[in-house]
Amino acid sequence: MTEHDLDTVRAVEVAAYAHPWSLKHFADSLASGYAAILLLGESLPGEVVHPVRADGRVLLGYLVAMPGVDEMHLLNITVAPTHQRQGWARCLLDALVLWSRAGGAQCLWLEVRLSNTVARRVYERYGFTQVGLRRGYYPAGQFQREDAVVMSLPLVPVSDKEVAA
């Protein structure tokens, strides 16, 4: 993801969420050097693509993650609404896990809205476990807040002994 992608990313973000990230959130993440990955595809014959990228490719999804000491914190993962339920979130998570392990991270963290049962199920199936709850973490409407479920995934490589078992 680069600054040139931000308008397209923001259009997907607005289509996907009731409380989307602003352009400033994305720009600040890029300026901070966070991992920001796009998942691009080719449009199918007759497919109406929105938003349209200059190169004609389709933005299937993206993620933004913040590295820390021995850990990675997933800040945003989004699959475009027209491409959801096709395995793209798992593909993005696979890329993040590989990138995180290569950088020496031993754990991946995230927060997810308590009400977002679909995303929570995706994370649980991937291997994340709930480790906490942050009260009032997300905006949820005028003068309201929603709790976040804190989840983690260990990234420590499996030992040869465990693989043989």
Side-chain angles (χ1 to χ4, degrees):
M1 185 185 304
T2 68
E3 286 186 23
H4 299 292
D5 299 307
L6 293 186
D7 288 335
T8 306
V9 166
R10 173 71 176 151
V12 169
E13 183 81 0
V14 168
Y17 299 114
H19 301 282
W21 270 24
S22 67
L23 276 175
K24 183 169 176 20
H25 282 113
F26 289 106
D28 288 350
S29 294
L30 291 177
S32 296
Y34 295 169
I37 301 167
L38 298 179
L39 178 61
L40 302 173
E42 300 297 324
S43 60
L44 300 172
E47 180 181 12
V48 177
V49 177
H50 177 76
V52 177
R53 287 177 43 91
D55 62 7
R57 292 185 292 175
V58 178
L59 178 57
L60 302 173
Y62 50 87
L63 66 80
V64 177
M66 177 180 66
V69 176
D70 297 332
E71 65 183 31
M72 184 66 67
H73 190 138
L74 179 60
L75 302 175
N76 185 322
I77 183 170
T78 303
V79 174
T82 55
H83 298 286
Q84 291 177 358
R85 300 188 191 278
Q86 298 173 20
W88 299 121
R90 183 168 190 85
C91 183
L92 284 163
L93 287 170
D94 285 344
L96 180 59
V97 165
L98 290 171
W99 189 83
S100 299
R101 281 185 176 148
Q106 295 181 19
C107 189
L108 179 56
W109 297 90
L110 61 83
E111 290 89 13
V112 59
R113 285 179 182 272
L114 182 62
S115 65
N116 194 343
T117 56
V118 172
R120 288 174 52 205
R121 197 171 323 118
V122 167
Y123 298 136
E124 287 166 0
R125 286 183 183 153
Y126 197 86
F128 283 86
T129 56
Q130 180 174 339
V131 295
L133 193 68
R134 295 191 199 280
R135 301 257 180 231
Y137 187 77
Y138 288 110
Q142 192 171 17
F143 305 112
Q144 296 186 345
R145 306 292 295 178
E146 182 176 353
D147 295 345
V149 174
V150 180
M151 303 183 86
S152 71
L153 176 74
L155 298 178
V156 179
V158 179
S159 71
D160 292 338
K161 197 180 269 188
E162 290 173 307
V163 172

